[in-house]
Amino acid sequence: QSLSSVKVENREHNFEILNAIFNNKLKDANYDIIIINSALALYITKTTKSLAEGLELAKKTIDDGYALEKINQIKNTF
């Protein structure tokens, strides 16, 4: 995958990318970066015992819609 697809042009473009990823409509380098960053956060905070476990959990959380569900819960509190 080309890293040129990671370039974000503005806030609206960033929102479109994130929305597509969390709605399982986009799996490109942007998706990979979100998964890697999430896995690192899970591992660093000792939520997972390994980076591999973090990758698995991050993918499952996004792919199964749990991340989107949590985002919507947070949005509804504001």
Side-chain angles (χ1 to χ4, degrees):
Q1 294 179 15
S2 170
L3 287 179
S4 64
S5 67
V6 177
K7 183 178 179 184
V8 175
E9 300 182 17
N10 54 44
R11 188 172 66 200
E12 290 79 20
H13 184 231
N14 188 47
F15 175 76
E16 289 174 18
I17 291 169
L18 290 172
N19 192 42
I21 289 170
F22 289 123
N23 281 287
N24 290 314
K25 295 180 180 174
L26 182 65
K27 289 199 178 179
D28 64 356
N30 294 292
Y31 171 86
D32 294 338
I33 289 170
I34 288 174
I35 294 296
I36 291 167
N37 284 335
S38 299
L40 286 168
L42 291 166
Y43 178 64
I44 289 168
T45 60
K46 300 185 190 254
T47 303
T48 60
K49 294 178 182 177
S50 68
L51 187 53
E53 187 180 324
L55 287 167
E56 185 178 319
L57 181 57
K59 278 183 163 185
K60 181 169 180 49
T61 300
I62 290 174
D63 293 349
D64 290 352
Y66 300 126
L68 181 61
E69 184 179 315
K70 185 54 75 177
I71 289 168
N72 288 331
Q73 287 175 355
I74 292 168
K75 278 190 337 186
N76 291 332
T77 63
F78 292 100

